[in-house]
Amino acid sequence: MKHIQFSFNTSITNLDTLILPINDQGEIISLENPLPQQSALNELSKSLAKSGDFSGEVGKTLLLVKPADIEIQRVLLVGFGANDKLTTKGYLTSIQAAADALDHCGATHIVNAAIFAKPAAENIKWAVTQNAQIFQRSFYDYSHESRGSHTLKEPKVESMVFPCADYSTAAQQGQATALGMALTQELANMPSNFCTPTYLAETAIQLGQEFGFDIKILDRKEMIEMGMGSFMSVAQGGDTPPKMICLSYKGGESSQAPIALVGKGVTFDTGGISLKPGAAMDEMKYDMGGAATVLGVFKALGEIKPNINVVGVIPATENMPSGNAIKPGDVVTSLSGQTIEILNTDAEGRLILCDALTYTQQTFKPSKIIDMATLTGACIIALGHHVSAIMGNSQPLVDALTAAGQTTYDRFWQLPLGEEWDEQLKSNFADMANIGGRAGGSITAAQFLARFVKEVDWAHLDIAGTAWVSGNNKGATGRPVPALVEYLLTEAKA
Ligand code: BES
Ligand code: MN
Ligand code: ZN
């Protein structure tokens, strides 16, 4: 993927394309450093406001090519609305609109003056990160045979200058986040006949070669021998080989325990014998969104190389009905030794994650575990599509992740855990059932996972509502890569 060159310069002299932030009065929003022909630009913009040609509202843009009396090839006016009403969401909406407006135009070298400390609690550094992320991501085009054979036009944009002091670390974070998100989106969008557990494993191996991560892949035979009876019970219905994919990034002291990221990698979820209804079943190709997030975060870690140790663990399989498939009422023994009565084969995410959690603790002795999974439809009912659910056994960890989500606008909302919900998992035939009824479905799923977490700080992210967008604009979002990168970088600095 082509990297945009981001740089900083407080005195701009020549430029081919200028992004200019405008308020609802048609005025240029006050800039730290003056631009060439700023007063002429201000007059022009105000006259366009008066004539009704540009309102300056949030999300509105107007591309002026060779405006009269101004020696700049392209000026993109970007509306940010009323100065005192701009929200974080509004700022990000306008930056995205600017990126969309410049996608595939002739611009090659852009000066982006829409860097200002407007959204109340934010600052210039934050704005640089967000702009680098949004522009790097928008100028990226996916090409893979699974998307058909049309050829893509390469984006022309080469570089972007921010007219402010040097915040290159902030730009690098945004850019690396974008590259990570692009990988997450690419994997998640890929149909399940291409994106198999083996393909996810190969992607990890490639990342390992590119960035020097240690990679270990377990196959079906090894996992059966090790006693991962729960994970293997999900995988037994499919002919596609399951994998446990482990990545480790060592950027910190060798004595420092790693932070573990565990991601659900169900490359297609039919529900198994508890078969799902047909409507929108295609979207269950996205049921590896947690796995794709882990790989995307590792891509970003490889780019940034922060001072921290991180392991990624991905249980990957299809969930298929077949003559070999697990059936409702079957009892299996997990790697932890606890037995599970599988009352619904469609609650498969927790069945693969529980063995991955045990394996992660045994193998990597992490200081913290963060798992992420498109785990429950109930999460969408509870919270909708704008925030992911977060639950955990450590309030400081939940708080730190929630703060990282707020900063990146990749937000989490906490749901409770407690013994009352845990009781819903009671089984007469095994240590627990794999479902706890309709009430509090996202919480009982997390309670199930909590039974496999032993004395380590743990947070669970249910990304069922946020990993992809449904409908005619269907596609993966790349979430929650931004929040996790922000969290890990904050941990690396601490
Ligand atoms: N992958 C699904 C959850 C899901 C469904 C995510 C729809 C996004 C959209 C998960 O494996 C699942 O099927 N969960 C069941 C659990 C139930 C059987 C307790 C669900 O949510 O219906
Ligand atoms: Mn399922
Ligand atoms: Zn699933």
Side-chain angles (χ1 to χ4, degrees), residues 264 266 269-272 274 276 284 287 319 344-349 374-375:
K264 173 178 173 181
V266 174
D269 181 11
T270 66
S274 312
K276 285 186 180 294
M284 283 298 114
D287 211 17
N319 182 23
N344 189 319
T345 66
D346 197 11
E348 86 296 340
T374 49
L375 203 60

Side-chain angles (χ1 to χ4, degrees), residues 267-411:
T267 55
F268 198 87
D269 181 11
T270 66
I273 296 300
S274 312
L275 193 64
K276 285 186 180 294
M281 205 210 269
D282 67 288
E283 293 187 12
M284 283 298 114
K285 73 175 181 183
Y286 289 117
D287 211 17
M288 35 59 77
T293 298
V294 173
L295 293 169
V297 170
F298 268 76
K299 168 106 188 164
L301 289 173
E303 295 273 337
I304 303 171
K305 302 195 177 21
N307 196 341
I308 193 170
N309 295 330
V310 185
V311 299
V313 178
I314 297 170
T317 182
E318 291 181 338
N319 182 23
M320 296 293 285
S322 80
N324 280 324
I326 198 81
K327 302 171 293 299
D330 287 359
V331 173
V332 299
T333 303
S334 66
L335 181 62
S336 73
Q338 299 176 90
T339 57
I340 304 163
E341 184 188 14
I342 299 179
L343 289 176
N344 189 319
T345 66
D346 197 11
E348 86 296 340
R350 63 199 79 181
L351 295 174
I352 75 173
L353 285 168
C354 69
D355 281 347
L357 287 170
T358 304
Y359 178 76
T360 301
Q361 291 164 89
Q362 289 176 354
T363 311
F364 299 107
K365 312 264 183 300
S367 61
K368 301 179 181 75
I369 303 182
I370 304 164
D371 80 72
M372 56 220 74
T374 49
L375 203 60
T376 62
C379 185
I380 308 176
I381 304 304
L383 296 176
H385 294 287
H386 307 298
V387 298
S388 308
I390 185 168
M391 289 152 267
N393 65 5
S394 155
Q395 197 56 39
L397 177 59
V398 169
D399 288 346
L401 283 161
T402 304
Q406 200 62 44
T407 302
T408 50
Y409 215 69
D410 177 13
R411 295 169 299 167

Side-chain angles (χ1 to χ4, degrees), residues 95-108:
I95 297 299
Q96 183 64 59
D100 293 343
L102 291 182
D103 198 10
H104 293 116
C105 80
T108 54

